[in-house]
């Protein structure tokens, strides 16, 4: 469109020669800028990297407060029952890239002080009358950085790939939950970590979102029936959160992740020496008084997550189990999309249908 307009008015530019030249240079620059923007929008729409303009421009902030986070009790324990029930209203995502059966709600985190959207997909068995008294296992899905809560559904097509496998009994009927993880503006990655005075990103993912799911859906409260999965920066989150919170997660899936938080240049955790050390999955295992009963699947190509998985496996002791799979392929959503069926088939061996 911009090129057409430029061609139409190219010969109609009047005035002295310097003015005509400058005007035509501006027209060319305008065409170039709009072309670049168009390509960016097309790439973003295809990969759902940014959920909105605030995320892109770094003007969004989803931190309402940063209260002290109380110690976590066992999943479903006294601390969870003391909080008011979180009854939410759900609507559509209103994104043509996301399947229509994915629901969205805006959640105000009671523990974390974080506000953000959470996307939920229910397995085909959920509304089957034969399963009306059934409680379902849950998987939290963490995107990369930057990333959108829609990416797992729209780009990796997790629900579309898993639905037939669930109907065939090859994959457990998991409730799939994808919370917002881009919480800070100005190109700052919270790294799924509670950062004093800045953000309670860990508590948002591991406390507020699970509590909302338990309060609104027939979700199994047992930690043995919960898992967390992620790719890229989300893989780092999945590994460290599952190992840090065996009271919430039985298993984790990490695709093309990393152990050192500083691997992400925008990570606030990577810039703080103490947080950087404490949030490395290898160090989490070494510091654990008792090895967590967690199963972790780590997949990645050499130089892109494989060696990190081997380092986690070397540090693990029973009952922690680490399965490392070497992949081949680039660091792309298309690659992670291909991993979804096999990863969730593995997960169903750890959290089988009941």
């Amino acid at each position: 469109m911009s090129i057409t307009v430029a061609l139409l008015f190219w010969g109609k530019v009047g005035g002295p020669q310097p003015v005509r030249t400058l005007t035509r240079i501006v027209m060319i620059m305008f065409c170039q800028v709009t072309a670049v923007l168009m390509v960016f929008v097309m790439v973003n729409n295809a990969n759902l990297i940014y959920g909105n303009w605030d995320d892109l421009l770094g003007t969004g902030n989803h931190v309402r407060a940063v209260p002290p986070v109380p110690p976590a009790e066992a999943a479903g324990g006294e601390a969870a029952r003391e909080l008011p029930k979180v009854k939410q209203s759900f609507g559509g995502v209103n994104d043509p890239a996301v399947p229509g059966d994915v629901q969205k709600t805006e959640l105000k985190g009671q523990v974390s002080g974080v506000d953000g959207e959470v996307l939920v997909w229910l397995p085909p068995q959920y509304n089957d009358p034969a399963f009306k008294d059934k409680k379902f296992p849950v998987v939290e899905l963490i995107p990369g950085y930057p990333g959108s809560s829609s990416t797992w559904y729209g780009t990796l097509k997790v629900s579309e790939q898993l639905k037939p496998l669930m109907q065939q009994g090859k994959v457990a009927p998991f409730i799939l939950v994808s919370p917002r993880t881009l919480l800070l503006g100005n190109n700052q990655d919270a790294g799924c970590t509670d950062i004093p005075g800045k953000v309670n990103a860990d508590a948002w993912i591991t406390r507020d979102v699970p509590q909302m799911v338990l309060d609104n859906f027939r979700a199994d409260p047992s930690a043995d029936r919960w898992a967390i999965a992620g790719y890229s920066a989300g893989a780092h989150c999945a590994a460290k959160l599952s190992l840090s919170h065996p009271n919430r997660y039985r298993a984790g899936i990490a695709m093309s992740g990393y152990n050192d938080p500083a691997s992400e240049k925008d990570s606030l955790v990577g810039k703080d020496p103490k947080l950087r050390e404490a949030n490395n999955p290898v160090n989490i295992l070494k510091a654990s008084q008792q090895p967590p009963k967690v199963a972790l699947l780590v997949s990645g190509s050499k130089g892109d997550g494989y060696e990190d998985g081997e380092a986690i496996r070397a540090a693990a002791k029973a009952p922690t189990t680490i399965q490392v799979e070497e992949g081949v392929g680039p660091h792309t959503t298309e690659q992670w999309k291909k991993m979804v069926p096999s990863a969730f088939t593995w997960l169903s061996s750890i959290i089988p249908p009941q």
Side-chain angles (χ1 to χ4, degrees):
M1 180 65 179
S2 59
I3 296 176
T4 302
V5 172
L7 290 174
L8 286 174
F9 288 94
W10 188 267
K12 298 180 180 180
V13 177
Q17 182 62 40
V19 173
R20 294 200 302 272
T21 300
L22 179 61
T23 301
R24 286 168 177 159
I25 290 174
V26 170
M27 291 167 67
I28 292 171
M29 292 177 63
F30 176 74
C31 290
Q32 292 176 327
V33 170
T34 54
V36 170
L37 284 174
M38 182 178 295
V39 170
F40 175 82
V41 170
M42 291 173 64
V43 170
N44 186 69
N45 288 344
N47 294 280
L48 299 176
I49 300 170
Y50 295 100
N52 52 50
W53 285 104
D54 280 338
D55 289 347
L56 170 62
L57 299 175
T59 55
N61 190 328
H62 294 264
V63 180
R64 171 175 26 91
V66 193
V69 177
E73 300 292 338
E78 291 299 321
R81 288 202 295 268
E82 288 174 1
L83 294 172
K85 289 284 187 180
V86 181
K87 285 299 182 180
Q88 294 288 122
S89 60
F90 291 80
V93 180
N94 296 322
D95 186 333
V98 177
D101 56 356
V102 178
Q103 306 176 58
K104 176 182 175 180
T105 190
E106 295 292 336
L107 176 64
K108 288 185 174 294
Q110 297 185 83
V111 176
S112 66
V114 168
D115 298 340
E117 80 277 3
V118 182
L119 274 56
V120 178
W121 179 83
L122 302 175
Q125 290 90 339
Y126 191 89
N127 292 313
D128 185 333
F131 292 82
K132 64 182 179 65
D133 298 321
K134 170 83 172 178
K135 289 188 176 181
F136 291 82
V138 182
V139 183
E140 286 191 77
L141 306 172
I142 310 301
Y145 172 84
S148 163
S149 54
S150 297
T151 310
W152 270 93
Y153 303 103
T155 308
L156 272 63
K157 300 191 180 301
V158 63
S159 59
E160 293 178 71
Q161 292 195 77
L162 295 184
K163 185 176 182 178
L165 297 177
M166 292 179 182
Q167 291 171 324
Q168 296 163 21
K170 296 179 180 178
V171 168
F174 296 109
I175 296 174
L176 303 179
V177 182
S178 182
R180 164 176 283 275
T181 54
L182 197 58
L183 305 177
L184 302 168
N186 300 318
N187 298 317
Q188 298 178 100
D189 175 24
C192 304
T193 301
D194 290 347
I195 304 174
K198 193 74 174 180
V199 61
N200 290 324
D202 181 322
W204 163 249
I205 295 170
T206 66
R207 303 279 289 276
D208 287 326
V209 172
Q211 191 61 50
M212 182 277 291
V213 174
L214 291 170
D215 288 346
N216 289 270
F217 300 97
R218 297 196 315 276
D220 195 321
S222 170
D224 286 340
R225 308 290 289 163
W226 280 68
I228 186 167
Y231 62 85
S232 191
H236 168 71
C237 291
K240 75 153 191 160
L241 291 178
S242 61
L243 296 174
S244 297
H245 300 286
N247 66 312
R248 169 49 61 199
Y249 306 107
R250 174 67 181 87
I253 297 171
M255 301 187 292
S256 304
Y258 50 81
N259 291 337
D260 183 357
S263 298
E264 168 51 58
K265 65 180 181 64
D266 290 334
S267 170
L268 296 180
V269 179
K271 296 172 183 176
D272 183 301
K274 290 184 178 179
L275 288 176
R276 178 181 177 182
E277 180 178 356
N279 285 274
N280 186 314
V282 173
N283 296 335
I284 290 171
L285 285 174
K286 290 180 178 179
S288 297
Q289 293 183 353
Q290 180 177 345
K293 184 186 175 184
V294 170
L296 182 62
L297 172 65
V298 182
S299 61
S301 305
K302 287 186 176 178
D304 187 23
Y306 177 75
E307 293 85 356
D308 296 82
E310 289 289 356
I312 297 174
R313 180 160 61 182
K317 298 178 182 178
T320 309
T321 60
I322 312 295
Q323 181 168 323
V324 183
E325 295 183 354
E326 182 180 351
V328 290
H331 193 84
T332 64
T333 52
E334 187 62 31
Q335 179 71 10
W336 304 316
K337 176 183 172 183
K338 296 175 183 176
M339 297 178 181
V340 165
S342 61
F344 277 80
T345 299
W346 169 86
L347 182 59
S348 298
S349 70
I350 306 299
I351 306 177
Q354 287 184 337

